[in-house]
Amino acid sequence: AAAAAFAATGAAADTEVFGRAAAGSESTAERLAEQVITGLMVALTMMVAVKLASRPSTNSWRDNFTTAVMVTLVIVQYYSIGLSVLRIPHRRSWGTDILRYDCQDSSKGGKYGRDGDEKVPNECWCLGTNWTCTYSASGVVVQNDPACPRDNTAACRDANGVNQKQSLSRFKRDCRNAQPPSCTMEHPCTPCERSTLDLFGEVPCQLCSSTNTGDCEFVDGVGPYCWAGDDYDRTQRSRIGPCTKCCTEPLTDPATECLGG
């Protein structure tokens, strides 16, 4: 039914999701808070159990059983509410600063995961049109310098004067707005094709190679789904469809493919 609805409308629903996965949190504060809530609920359970066991029994076993069930339900409800308030409900339109760790670890849609991300350099480093490399020691400025060093002895700026990074945090691709670790119809990914990167303002996916052909292994109704580049608009819903290539082609013309900004 969901697949049919998306095929008819071509638009992704603005659904609510939790800012963090149900497991795998790396937040120390959240872990400690969960332990405190769990401890309080255990202590409350023990107190109620001791009180019931220590007082003289004047009720039938049915009354005692009903009381125990009701107390258990109340404790479970408070426990669930306590854990729920630790997770931030998030809508797609609220911002981009809520990231799920399972999404960052994933390679959904062909993106890089967190493992080994630091090994991926910025392939456009000082190769775009009118990009400049400024050597810190001498102050010499060289345009379109493919030999611009990556050892922090030089700064690279694009044609707009924006400092470029030696490496990019590609594991956050398609993970902002609390997106899940898969490219679903509700949370489609951005295409990996190099011709679409500037349109979507995204970093490249894993590079295509003889061992990485970019086969997305698409399954109807499951995914991966991507935004359609021919009508994409950041301000309104756009069409979505199957991801066609889950890798980014190597650079062939840096002057036109490295835009910066």
Side-chain angles (χ1 to χ4, degrees):
F6 272 85
T9 62
D14 188 17
T15 56
E16 291 188 359
V17 296
F18 283 117
R20 295 189 183 276
S25 171
E26 296 181 9
S27 168
T28 301
E30 183 175 325
R31 290 201 308 270
L32 290 176
E34 289 182 358
Q35 293 173 7
V36 169
I37 292 175
T38 301
L40 290 175
M41 293 300 102
V42 171
L44 178 60
T45 302
M46 294 178 63
M47 290 172 58
V48 172
V50 170
K51 182 176 180 61
L52 291 176
S54 61
R55 69 181 184 180
S57 178
T58 58
N59 300 323
S60 66
W61 69 269
R62 293 184 179 83
D63 293 334
N64 290 333
F65 177 77
T66 302
T67 301
V69 169
M70 295 303 297
V71 170
T72 301
L73 290 176
V74 171
I75 292 175
V76 170
Q77 288 177 344
Y78 273 104
Y79 177 72
S80 300
I81 292 172
L83 294 185
S84 296
V85 299
L86 300 178
R87 290 168 171 78
I88 306 173
H90 185 70
R91 294 184 69 88
R92 185 156 53 99
S93 59
W94 282 4
T96 61
D97 57 342
I98 297 182
L99 304 172
R100 286 175 51 159
Y101 292 111
D102 54 357
C103 180
Q104 297 177 71
D105 291 335
S106 73
S107 57
K108 69 170 186 175
K111 80 175 189 70
Y112 287 93
R114 281 196 294 182
D115 291 342
D117 179 74
E118 66 278 3
K119 300 177 182 178
V120 182
N122 180 359
E123 57 192 338
C124 284
W125 177 255
C126 270
L127 294 180
T129 301
N130 295 325
W131 288 27
T132 59
C133 177
T134 304
Y135 290 80
S136 303
S138 62
V140 173
V141 179
V142 181
Q143 277 196 345
N144 309 105
D145 184 7
C148 191
R150 296 174 180 266
D151 57 1
N152 297 320
T153 61
C156 177
R157 295 181 176 84
D158 65 19
N160 298 318
V162 178
N163 282 321
Q164 297 298 300
K165 297 180 180 180
Q166 298 178 19
S167 60
L168 302 175
S169 297
R170 300 183 181 182
F171 62 87
K172 295 181 181 180
R173 189 184 208 276
D174 291 317
C175 286
R176 295 172 177 83
N177 306 307
Q179 289 174 270
S182 55
C183 304
T184 64
M185 292 185 291
E186 293 84 359
H187 300 278
C189 294
T190 52
C192 288
E193 288 87 346
R194 188 171 293 280
S195 60
T196 67
L197 297 181
D198 184 59
L199 171 65
F200 291 96
E202 270 294 359
V203 297
C205 299
Q206 299 182 44
L207 292 181
C208 301
S209 65
S210 58
T211 58
N212 181 18
T213 61
D215 183 4
C216 296
E217 300 180 356
F218 176 79
V219 177
D220 188 27
V222 177
Y225 288 93
C226 286
W227 294 108
D230 57 349
D231 79 333
Y232 180 72
D233 190 332
R234 294 177 183 274
T235 63
Q236 61 186 13
R237 295 179 177 179
S238 302
R239 292 188 305 107
I240 62 173
C243 298
T244 57
K245 178 177 285 189
C246 291
C247 68
T248 300
E249 308 90 333
L251 277 173
T252 56
D253 185 9
T256 59
E257 295 171 347
C258 296
L259 300 179

